[in-house]
Structures are given as C-alpha cells and as structure tokens.
C-alpha cells in the first residue's frame, strides 16, 4: 500500500475517533458501553495504521 493511501486511511480513522468521542460525550447511559467498544476498536485500528505509516516512512 502506498504512503498516500495509508495516510488517507489514517486520516479517516482519526476523524472517526473524534466523531465517536463527541458522540460518547453526549450519549445516553444505555449506549455508553456500545460506543466505548466501537471507540476502542477504531483507536486500535488507527494506532495500527499509524505504525504502518511510520514503518513505511523509514524505508
């Protein structure tokens, strides 16, 4: 995957994290667990993509 595509995906993941964080802040009590789980998964994917980007920059 090219650096440009990785960076684009990282940007989209960061946007999703920010959106979920805002949604979580206003969420009713019944949805908090669901949103926290989604946020955890997206953060993990964002962090993985960040590591991929950092690794491809080194080459």
């Amino acid at each position: 995957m090219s650096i440009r595509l990785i960076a684009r995906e990282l940007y989209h993941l960061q946007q999703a994290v920010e959106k979920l964080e805002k949604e979580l802040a206003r969420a009713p009590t019944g949805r908090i667990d669901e949103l926290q789980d989604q946020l955890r998964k997206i953060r993990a994917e964002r962090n993985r993509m960040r590591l991929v980007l950092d690794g491809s920059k080194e080459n």
Side-chain angles (χ1 to χ4, degrees):
M1 201 186 279
S2 74
I3 291 177
R4 180 178 289 166
L5 291 176
I6 295 169
R8 184 177 296 164
E9 181 64 22
L10 181 58
Y11 174 78
H12 290 297
L13 289 167
Q14 182 60 40
Q15 295 298 312
V17 165
E18 290 173 9
K19 179 183 174 194
L20 274 173
E21 287 173 340
K22 289 177 185 176
E23 193 174 334
L24 185 60
R26 326 179 233 107
T29 308
R31 286 203 62 215
I32 289 178
D33 289 338
E34 174 191 348
L35 291 173
Q36 285 178 333
D37 188 48
Q38 288 177 8
L39 184 58
R40 180 186 55 79
K41 290 175 184 177
I42 291 179
R43 279 182 177 159
E45 181 64 20
R46 178 201 60 192
N47 293 342
R48 187 185 73 77
M49 195 59 64
R50 190 175 287 154
L51 291 173
V52 169
L53 181 63
D54 289 344
S56 64
K57 284 182 185 177
E58 291 177 5
N59 292 336

